[in-house]
Every structure is written in C-alpha cells, then in structure tokens.
Amino acid sequence: MSVLVFAEMQDGGFKKAAKEAVTYGRKTADMLGVECHALVLGGELPAEASQLGLYGAAKVFGVSHENLTDFDSKLYAHGLAEVARKTGAQVVVLPFTVRGKALGGRVAAALGAASASGVNSLPDLTEGFKVRRPVFSGKAVATVELKGELKVLSLMGNSIPPDDQLGSECPVETLELAIEAPGIRLLKRQKQEGSIPLPEAERVVSGGRGLKGPENWHLIEDLAKALDAATACSRPVADNGWRPHHEHVGQTGLAIRPNLYVAIGISGAIQHLAGVNNSKTIVVINKDPEAPFFKAADYGVVGDLFEVVPRLTEAVKRFKNK
Amino acid sequence: MKILVCISRVPDTEARVAFTAEGSAFDESGVTFIMNPYDEWYALVRALELKESLGGSVTVVHVGTAASDPIIRKALAIGADDAVRIDAEASSADFTARQLAAFAKSENYDLILCGKETIDYNGAEVPGMLAELLGLPFVSHAEKLEMEGQKFVLTRPVTGGTEVVEVEGPLVVSAAKGMAEQRIPNMRGIMMAKRKPLKVVPPVEVEEKVQFVHFELPPAKKEVKLIDPENMDELVRLLHEEAKVI
Ligand SMILES: Cc1cc2nc3c(=O)[nH]c(=O)nc-3n(C[C@H](O)[C@H](O)[C@H](O)COP(=O)(O)OP(=O)(O)OC[C@H]3O[C@@H](n4cnc5c(N)ncnc54)[C@H](O)[C@@H]3O)c2cc1C
Ligand SMILES: Nc1ncnc2c1ncn2[C@@H]1O[C@H](COP(=O)(O)O)[C@@H](O)[C@H]1O
C-alpha cells in the first residue's frame, strides 16, 4: 500500500506544482500510515529526481522512454496506471496543471478508480474518504466522498505550501515499462516570450476596458514589472484584440489563484470574479466607487487609473530599492 | 466526417449560488440553465465549421433528464443534425463518461469534441475518461483544431506557451477559448430544430464511486480597505506588512 505522486516535469525539472503534489502525497501517506512514492515519466530523467525526497517521497520511480519525450495523455496515463498497479498504490496524486488535467480523468478511468479534481484540502478520513474542492468557479466548496479501494486526486495549485523539510534525498529506481507508440506528434512548441506564465504566477496585474486601448498597456506592464508579476486582462479586452487570448481570465478564460491580484479598470462582473476570486489578496483600482469589484477586494483605490497606476508603480519601485 | 459533440447543462453564469438546507444540494429554484459555454461556443461551433467545409454530420449527446431538452434544442438550432439524450442524472464525471462511452463505442465517430470543463463543477475529467474508455488519443484544452489531409492539427497550451501537435483520428478533444466564435441561432435554425431528431436512450448500469456529500459557501470576505489615491506608499506598505504578498 502506498501513495503515488505524479511528479510532473517542466522544462526538464520540477516546478512548484510537482513539489506541492509530493508534499500533499506525503501528508496523505502519513495519515494512511503508508509510504509516499513519486513517479517521473519522460524522455530522460532529471538528475534532481532524488530531490523529491526532500518533499516527502520515500522513493522515486523513474520511467524514461523515447516515446515519452513529448506529452501524450494516453501513454502517460497508462504508464502512471501501470506503476500504480505494480506498486500497490491506493491513492494517486497529480497536480491540477494543464497536463495534470489532461491526465487525471484518464488515469482514473484506466484504474477504475474514484476520482476528484481540483482538490484543495488533505483527505478527511474520519468517516470514509472525503476531500474538499472548490465548485461553481470558487463560489462554493464541495465535500466529495470517494468510494472503493483506489482513489485519484488532482491537487489545485497553491492549496498547500511545498515543504522541503519532510524528508531527505531518496533513492531513484528506474522501471522498464513497455510503452506503446505515441499517437500524438509534436510539430512545434511556441514559447511565450519574456513574461511570467500566468497560471503559476504569484502576482498578477490585470487590466480591463477602463484602460481605453492597447496603447495604454505600458501602465499595466510597468506595474507588473515592478511587482515581478504576470499580466492578465478581462474578456472584452481579449475579444477586442487589445491583448492575447491566453491572458483572458474569468469563467470562460483562465482561472487563477495568485497571492496578489491587482485589477485595474475592471468592473468586476460575476464572470470575471469567477476566475480570480480565489486569489489570496485582491487590489482594485477603479474610478467608480460603485464598481462591484470593490465587494470582492481586500484593498481598494477609488481614482483615475491613469494617475493612480503610475503613482503605484513608483511607490513599488521605491519600496524595492529600499 | 462524423462528429460527436458532448454537451452539458449548467446554471447561467449570473446564477445565484445557494444550497438547499444542510448544504446537501445546489438550490435550483429560480435558476436558469444554459448549455455549458465551452461546449456551445467552442466545441459545437468548431464541429459545425468542420462539417461545413468537409461534409459529414454533427451529433450532440447529453447525459441528463428531460429538463435538459431546451439546451439540446438550442444545439440543434445552432446547427447540429441530430441529438441523443441519455436519460439519467449526470451524478459524477465517472458516471457521465461511462454513459457517453457506452453510447459512442459502436458509432465510429471520427472526432469527439467536449468542452474543457463544466462551469459548475469545474471537473475537467469527463473528456479524458471518455478517451480512456474508448482507447482513443486525447488532446486537452485545445485552442485550435484544423484538418490537414487525414490528420488533425491542434494547438494546446503548455506552461509558458503552446504546442502544435498532429494526431490521426479518431480522437477526443476538449475545447478551450480560441477554437471558434460563439454563434447565435437564427429564426430558421430554431424552426428547423423542432423537426430534428432527439433520441432518448436509457442509461447503462454504472456503480457510483463518487458522491457529493456537502456544499458550503466560502467565508464572507472582509470589508474592503480603501486607500487614499494620493498615497500609494501606504498601499505598498499594507501589501508588504499586512497582506505579506510583496
Ligand atoms: C457567459 C459569459 C461569460 C463571460 N466570461 C467572462 C470571463 O471569463 N472574463 C471576463 O472578464 N468577463 C467575462 N464575461 C464578460 C463580463 O460579463 C463583463 O462584461 C466583463 O468582465 C467586463 O470587462 P471590464 O470590466 O474590462 O469592462 P467594463 O465592464 O466596461 O468595466 C470597465 C471598468 O473600468 C472603470 N474605468 C473606466 N475608466 C477608468 C479610469 N480612467 N480609471 C479607473 N477606472 C476606470 C469603469 O468604472 C468600469 O468599472 C462573460 C460574460 C458572459 C455573459
Ligand atoms: N452530462 C453531460 N453530458 C454530456 N457531456 C458532458 C456532460 N457533463 C460533462 N460533459 C462533457 O465533458 C466536458 C467537461 O466536463 P467536466 O469534466 O464535468 O468538467 C463538458 O464540457 C462536456 O463536453
């Protein structure tokens, strides 16, 4: 019996999501009184695989195969399911990242397991096996009971801080699996230049229609740069072509939960809030004191963004230079 | 090309989120239900565009009760050729995916399109489950979907960018923003939809593994702290000392 964590590799290493998942896996394993194992799948195994031990893995299983170089949900799900079966895992944990989302349902179906996605709390084992997860785009929280021997959980980002004090460097055991031929062929990869990727950003500066046009976006970018933040926007801004679509946050865009979300010239429509209301701290800058966003904000500034934002950027720079 | 689009029914984006006594279920009183925007705006419209350029058919399938018939009719009004409703409450992703798979298995679709997630339960699980149950390739959160010869070419997100991938069908795709533009049904579509076939089929037996036992609203937010627009140093101080986010 064990907990098996899919330690997702990104750019040949492990990012926060993988470390959070291992931390979560270890804490769950402790509750169940079993070991926590991590699994790394890829074309090549990174040297730092043994470091996952710091976050609580007792052992890392590594499967490297040329067919796993590019991501194919079928091959990855089958690899993960096979290792889960071989090692007698009773709980499989994945990060709820883009890849984790492509895998979670698939792995659950491959294992015939009960599953919950977007989980944001450790399991409650007092009666059955229960986890909590946000629903209705963060407007509510559901408690879900999972039945049966096997469970698959995908962990919402920023739900548990990665803890590198849970163990020490651990052994890496390579496993030989028969990996089928990939059905997906990578043609090209396009990097988003320069900026911080939005899904994992700790801080986000976001602009709405109040900015009036794309020519004013330097206000957003300058503040984002000072704060070391990613940039985002409301839906009409993306629909108008002022900003790229991948910056659109909200119910029909990306859902994010950074530590800091600064909303500038955004009214705070319910569909926008749905994508950002799980942010830890929300700052709203709007000239209309009645803007609905103020109800969801921690800090509010009622004023003209064209004056307030440059002032804030300067204040942040002063603070950083101190 | 034979295309299947899986559509789901969700509360309107403006709907008040409330629960029945003891938080046992979503309170549907006074709530309007709509087709899940990802299914409607992106999956369905892209399916119709492919059919318009390459020929073939678009079927929509839904797991739900008769209460869903209006959204199914809407899908037909937007342009789907026919519809199938699997007559059962879609109680969990596993249950739903097994129903969809049982139906799709014998139909040999070239392409099965879903939305990336439902906006109520936000599970993003059904499409991957369906792909696994059918043994098909799956591309998740696709922002673009084209046909090039016999192959599908898709753009999907990765952390910090996008990837363009090529896949031979049949396959399952979940659609995200960017794939197509919303279409509003016109009068002719609405009239025609009334005559299009909507077949109701019984569900297959599935053991329930997942149960929603309780719902609650998140704790209410504290009153907003208003900061003097002249004094941004104060805001920075609060973000540093109080919120501890910078
Ligand atoms: C089904 C559905 C799904 C949707 N999904 C999303 C989604 O995912 N994301 C999303 O964002 N929206 C979504 N929307 C749209 C949403 O309802 C709003 O229309 C949208 O969020 C408004 O964008 P905005 O706040 O940028 O613009 P507006 O509502 O026009 O607000 C602009 C704000 O800027 C302020 N302002 C103007 N000038 C200044 C100034 N000089 N200084 C300071 N403040 C100023 C104004 O007071 C106002 O509050 C959806 C809508 C529907 C129906
Ligand atoms: N009851 C349902 N009937 C048909 N398709 C569904 C149903 N529920 C979910 N789906 C499909 O699966 C996608 C993702 O749903 P979910 O996994 O619940 O977030 C939706 O966008 C639909 O395409």
Side-chain angles (χ1 to χ4, degrees):
Chain A
M1 299 290 236
S2 61
V3 171
L4 181 67
V5 181
F6 172 65
E8 181 186 354
M9 263 202 286
Q10 285 175 16
D11 304 324
F14 302 105
K15 297 273 165 63
K16 195 168 151 208
K19 296 170 183 172
E20 287 175 349
V22 176
T23 303
Y24 181 93
R26 171 57 184 264
K27 294 196 166 166
T28 302
D30 286 349
M31 292 168 74
L32 293 165
V34 299
E35 272 193 0
C36 171
H37 301 149
L39 171 64
V40 184
L41 297 169
E44 264 174 71
L45 297 183
E48 59 181 299
S50 61
Q51 301 288 320
L52 294 172
L54 304 182
Y55 299 90
K59 191 193 277 179
V60 175
F61 295 111
V63 179
S64 68
H65 194 291
E66 58 172 345
N67 291 351
L68 296 173
T69 308
D70 298 323
F71 179 71
D72 181 332
S73 69
K74 194 172 170 190
L75 275 49
Y76 270 66
H78 290 180
L80 181 48
E82 194 177 334
V83 175
R85 267 190 234 107
K86 271 194 173 148
T87 59
Q90 65 204 101
V91 178
V92 174
V93 178
L94 304 103
F96 201 46
T97 52
V98 188
R99 280 193 178 172
K101 287 178 185 176
L103 279 178
R106 186 143 208 166
V107 170
L111 289 169
S115 66
S117 62
V119 169
N120 69 355
S121 73
L122 286 168
D124 172 359
L125 304 176
T126 43
E127 214 184 302
F129 188 106
K130 293 181 189 144
V131 286
R132 287 158 63 85
R133 53 172 298 238
V135 288
F136 297 97
S137 306
K139 281 175 264 180
V141 184
T143 304
V144 188
E145 181 170 1
L146 302 183
K147 295 171 187 156
E149 292 296 297
L150 264 163
K151 284 110 185 162
V152 174
L153 308 176
S154 38
L155 177 68
M156 183 72 93
N158 265 347
S159 303
I160 182 169
D163 184 349
D164 63 4
Q165 306 290 315
L166 290 180
S168 50
E169 253 182 77
C170 70
V172 179
E173 186 182 322
T174 41
L175 297 177
E176 299 285 335
L177 300 188
I179 307 286
E180 57 213 289
I184 294 180
R185 201 162 74 87
L186 181 68
L187 298 180
K188 67 176 169 203
R189 186 171 282 142
Q190 294 149 330
K191 270 242 164 253
Q192 193 185 313
E193 285 307 329
S195 58
I196 301 167
L198 190 50
E200 55 190 59
E202 300 273 348
R203 287 170 292 277
V204 174
V205 178
S206 187
R209 210 145 50 177
L211 266 288
K212 306 274 186 292
E215 66 282 5
N216 296 321
W217 236 261
H218 62 275
L219 294 172
I220 301 290
E221 280 162 350
D222 290 349
L223 178 58
K225 204 161 159 211
L227 284 169
D228 205 8
T231 52
C233 67
S234 67
R235 182 171 156 221
V237 165
D239 285 352
N240 289 346
W242 297 358
R243 298 297 293 175
H245 278 302
H246 59 76
E247 282 199 0
H248 154 198
V249 292
Q251 191 144 38
T252 48
L254 201 62
I256 53 170
R257 34 167 48 213
N259 282 331
L260 175 63
Y261 184 74
V262 185
I264 300 170
I266 303 176
S267 56
I270 189 156
Q271 299 92 354
H272 183 86
L273 295 181
V276 302
N277 58 5
N278 283 314
S279 308
K280 193 165 152 254
T281 299
I282 296 180
V283 175
V284 169
I285 301 174
N286 198 304
K287 67 174 181 191
D288 173 10
E290 301 293 320
F293 220 144
F294 284 117
K295 289 206 178 65
D298 299 283
Y299 303 103
V301 182
V302 180
D304 183 351
L305 71 91
F306 293 97
E307 291 164 19
V308 172
V309 176
R311 214 175 277 149
L312 175 57
T313 304
E314 287 313 310
V316 173
K317 285 187 189 157
R318 268 198 299 281
F319 165 78
K320 292 257 158 121
N321 288 334
K322 255 201 316 228
Chain B
M1 188 160 52
K2 200 170 156 184
I3 308 176
L4 180 68
V5 181
C6 304
I7 61 170
S8 49
R9 170 182 178 262
V10 296
D12 177 31
T13 55
E14 303 272 354
R16 184 182 65 108
V17 174
F19 301 97
T20 52
E22 278 106 52
S24 55
F26 178 66
D27 183 358
E28 297 194 357
S29 58
V31 172
T32 318
F33 284 84
I34 58 169
M35 198 185 332
N36 187 37
Y38 295 107
D39 311 351
E40 179 189 331
W41 302 354
Y42 310 137
L44 176 58
V45 176
R46 189 65 194 130
L48 295 171
E49 289 170 356
L50 287 173
K51 176 193 136 173
E52 284 154 10
S53 65
L54 303 165
S57 64
V58 174
T59 300
V60 291
V61 61
H62 173 71
V63 182
T65 63
S68 300
D69 285 349
I71 67 133
I72 299 175
R73 288 285 169 210
K74 183 171 186 196
L76 294 170
I78 294 172
D81 298 295
D82 61 340
V84 175
R85 178 166 64 76
I86 302 168
D87 194 14
E89 198 79 54
S91 49
S92 72
D94 180 71
F95 178 89
T96 305
R98 284 179 195 277
Q99 301 301 335
L100 294 170
F103 165 75
K105 200 155 47 194
S106 52
E107 296 284 332
N108 297 317
Y109 291 101
D110 301 300
L111 170 65
I112 300 179
L113 269 162
C114 296
K116 76 164 172 141
E117 66 179 43
T118 45
I119 63 168
D120 50 2
Y121 293 105
N122 311 110
E125 288 194 295
V126 169
M129 288 176 171
L130 178 57
E132 180 60 26
L133 294 169
L134 296 172
L136 297 179
F138 169 48
V139 176
S140 156
H141 292 56
E143 294 160 5
K144 278 206 186 95
L145 164 63
E146 308 286 343
M147 278 302 284
E148 278 174 25
Q150 291 306 301
K151 294 201 167 126
F152 293 88
V153 175
L154 301 108
T155 303
R156 67 179 179 190
V158 287
T159 312
T162 54
E163 284 181 350
V164 181
V165 296
E166 184 184 78
V167 192
E168 230 165 289
L171 82 165
V172 177
V173 173
S174 79
K177 178 172 171 144
M179 187 174 278
E181 298 281 341
Q182 181 179 11
R183 278 190 191 178
I184 311 289
N186 56 26
M187 215 43 218
R188 188 164 157 262
I190 294 167
M191 295 311 293
M192 282 181 37
K194 295 193 177 127
R195 276 175 278 131
K196 287 179 178 171
L198 192 178
K199 195 163 87 184
V200 180
V201 301
V204 291
E205 197 139 329
V206 168
E207 180 206 354
E208 284 286 6
K209 301 192 194 83
V210 176
Q211 197 187 351
F212 282 85
V213 288
H214 185 71
F215 295 92
E216 63 203 87
L217 297 173
K221 202 111 188 166
K222 286 196 310 276
E223 243 339 74
V224 56
K225 232 180 225 185
L226 288 181
I227 320 286
D228 176 4
E230 301 291 334
N231 191 357
M232 286 300 98
D233 290 311
E234 171 65 3
L235 177 57
V236 171
R237 186 188 70 76
L238 288 167
L239 291 177
H240 178 62
E241 289 174 14
E242 192 176 81
K244 301 191 168 58
V245 289
I246 59 172

